[in-house]
Amino acid sequence: KTGAFSQVKSCNYLPNVLLKKEALDQGALFGLFVDDQGFITESSTENLAYISERKEFVLPQFDNVLKGTTLIRLKNLIQEKHLMPIVQKNIRLEDLSKASEIFFVGTTLDVLPVSDLQGKPIPVGPWSARFRQLLIEDQSSI
């Protein structure tokens, strides 16, 4: 999605539905949108983030990505607890090949580790579970 459709909640979910269908047709649970400059934007209803080789929490710039409320809350919790440095940047597929952990972040799944990317196994480390627990604890404190 580009332009306003990447920034605004709307009823234009047809691309999201088609992405989900294409992922399922190929035997995957999730797919990823890539913009016209080759940057990963998001999944059908989830944001993508990862842990870099330098142990940084990396999330996408919000230029062509919907600013997910769960991702923003997770970012704030990581900052508040001083867990690791945070980097916000445009993400390319090749950036993910160097990641120590990759995960989806969203309202219905909190944090879900990515265990396979284009047929290549991805290590599932401790951070996705730790981040998920942070969100669950935060939600139960309300």
Side-chain angles (χ1 to χ4, degrees):
K1 293 186 252 184
T2 59
F5 286 118
S6 68
Q7 300 287 315
V8 176
K9 279 280 195 190
S10 72
C11 293
N12 183 21
Y13 277 93
L14 183 57
N16 303 62
V17 172
L18 293 173
L19 177 67
K20 183 67 174 186
K21 181 186 180 326
E22 184 175 335
L24 293 173
D25 288 350
Q26 293 183 27
L29 295 177
F30 298 93
L32 290 170
F33 284 111
V34 177
D35 70 14
D36 56 357
Q37 296 177 14
F39 297 118
I40 294 172
T41 58
E42 57 200 12
S43 188
S44 52
T45 59
E46 303 81 21
N47 289 109
L48 182 87
Y50 68 93
I51 304 296
S52 73
E53 309 174 273
R54 293 187 223 129
K55 302 301 178 214
E56 303 160 318
F57 179 76
V58 182
L59 67 154
Q61 291 284 9
F62 294 125
D63 301 331
N64 287 331
V65 177
L66 186 67
K67 192 185 291 188
T69 56
T70 306
L71 180 61
I72 294 301
R73 185 60 187 143
L74 178 59
K75 176 187 171 200
N76 291 342
L77 290 168
I78 292 168
Q79 284 176 321
E80 289 169 15
K81 298 188 180 292
H82 307 285
L83 294 178
M84 64 181 57
I86 295 173
V87 174
Q88 195 165 358
K89 68 177 206 155
N90 290 318
I91 300 170
R92 293 192 182 275
L93 194 56
E94 54 266 21
D95 296 331
L96 299 180
S97 67
K98 301 173 194 159
S100 62
E101 288 184 59
I102 305 170
F103 32 84
F104 287 111
V105 180
T107 302
T108 57
L109 46 86
D110 296 319
V111 177
L112 181 70
V114 173
S115 59
D116 180 284
L117 184 65
Q118 294 185 314
K120 179 185 170 202
I122 303 293
V124 175
W127 285 108
S128 57
R130 174 94 187 266
F131 292 157
R132 185 171 191 278
Q133 189 60 38
L134 269 178
L135 287 170
I136 290 169
E137 289 170 3
D138 184 58
Q139 292 163 7
S140 66
S141 69
I142 297 174

